[in-house]
Amino acid sequence: MIDLSAIRCEQAKTLKADAKQSALTVSAIVLYVSLLMLVGQRYMLMAIWVGSTLTMIGVTVLYARFAAPEGITPKNYGPYLRWHTVITFFTGVVWGVNALLILDYASLYTIFIAVTIATSITIGGMFPGNSYRPAYIALAIPTILGLAIYITLS
């Protein structure tokens, strides 16, 4: 059996240290999708999108800032990673619900926006710098699952 504790501790340190940069990157995606909604005259959905996604970005940044204020150690990395995964799951729920809200199967434009929402956040989680795979899975499943079911049934 391989002891992953040192690896997990480093992953937690990386997640905590990279939270601000990650938030900036995700904010750029939020802005891009917002502009797509603006062009499509989906003002109410744009407001819901911006409010809900920026809230989750804020929660993520605040968590990284205030959780484990003394830094990540071999004693606290486990709870840090678990709560990070919980927050990431709810971020995936927010992105997935927003993709479903915008989706109108009769409109190719809304399908494009919904797929952009789902793929942009999940593709970002596959980059090597996003080191903690359980959090990626917690993000990807709720982001993609609802959209995949909807498109399959439609």
Side-chain angles (χ1 to χ4, degrees):
M1 183 80 146
I2 298 173
D3 181 19
L4 295 176
S5 59
I7 293 170
R8 296 288 187 236
C9 188
E10 287 304 313
Q11 289 172 325
K13 287 177 184 178
T14 300
L15 288 168
K16 186 172 176 65
D18 293 349
K20 287 182 185 176
Q21 181 59 44
S22 178
L24 288 173
T25 303
V26 175
S27 295
I29 296 168
V30 170
L31 176 62
Y32 170 70
V33 174
S34 298
L35 292 173
L36 291 176
M37 290 181 188
L38 184 65
V39 169
Q41 298 179 344
R42 303 290 195 144
Y43 306 120
M44 181 58 76
L45 291 174
M46 186 182 75
I48 293 168
W49 163 253
V50 169
S52 62
T53 55
L54 290 182
T55 296
M56 291 313 298
I57 291 169
V59 168
T60 302
V61 170
L62 289 173
Y63 177 71
R65 169 91 166 89
F66 293 110
E70 71 285 356
I72 301 296
T73 67
K75 293 184 186 221
N76 68 7
Y77 77 87
Y80 185 87
L81 289 175
R82 278 190 292 280
W83 281 106
H84 173 78
T85 302
V86 168
I87 292 167
T88 304
F89 170 79
F90 284 110
T91 299
V93 169
V94 165
W95 283 66
V97 167
N98 276 293
L100 289 175
L101 287 175
I102 192 71
L103 194 58
D104 173 6
Y105 205 76
S107 166
L108 289 177
Y109 189 71
T110 65
I111 293 170
F112 173 75
I113 295 172
V115 170
T116 299
I117 289 170
T119 57
S120 61
I121 194 69
T122 54
I123 287 173
M126 289 189 281
F127 291 124
N130 298 326
S131 58
Y132 191 56
R133 294 297 171 223
Y136 172 72
I137 292 166
L139 174 75
I141 289 173
T143 301
I144 295 173
L145 190 61
L147 182 62
I149 291 169
Y150 181 87
I151 288 174
T152 300
L153 294 177
S154 297

